[in-house]
Amino acid sequence: QVQLVESGGGSVQAGGSLRLSCVLSGSDFPINSMGWYRQGPGSQRDLVAHIFSGGGDHNIKYGDFVKGRFTISRDTAKNAVYLQMNALQVEDTTAYYCRMIVSHPIQDYVHWGEGQQVTVYS
């Protein structure tokens, strides 16, 4: 069974850092793209950072609110994606979700993690 296992959430003081990790298990198919999204109660799920096919710098997209504070990276060999979050602000408090698109011969499948709560206090 395909599963995304996330870790790294928690509570941190404003200005601090956290590193989120997400590992895909249960699939031998290649990962087309991977990223992080966030969603607050009653809100839509917004892009935080995503690495698209190819993986070069020109294929990385960040949400407008990131403003150079977050860095997404991946380890292809480990089927993992990471989100280094620096200069965290109280406004960054919410749940963060990992998303991976796995390429099967006939179609791609989208997988989501269960979410990591990030709480930033002043």
Side-chain angles (χ1 to χ4, degrees), residues 40-119:
S43 302
Q44 65 181 20
R45 195 163 288 188
D46 294 326
L47 168 71
V48 178
H50 201 99
I51 302 176
F52 294 91
S53 299
D57 290 345
H58 61 284
N59 283 329
I60 295 176
K61 183 174 177 60
Y62 290 97
D64 292 340
F65 61 87
V66 170
K67 297 180 181 178
R69 300 180 297 130
F70 300 172
T71 303
I72 188 171
S73 61
R74 71 179 185 181
D75 186 331
T76 303
K78 295 181 179 179
N79 282 345
V81 63
Y82 309 98
L83 184 68
Q84 177 66 43
M85 302 186 291
N86 299 326
L88 281 162
Q89 303 168 355
V90 173
E91 295 74 24
D92 295 317
T93 296
T94 191
Y96 288 72
Y97 297 86
C98 173
R99 177 177 185 252
M100 292 193 185
I101 301 176
V102 178
S103 294
H104 290 245
I106 298 177
Q107 68 179 78
D108 292 345
Y109 288 90
V110 179
H111 302 279
W112 289 94
E114 294 187 351
Q116 287 287 295
Q117 178 64 36
V118 170
T119 301

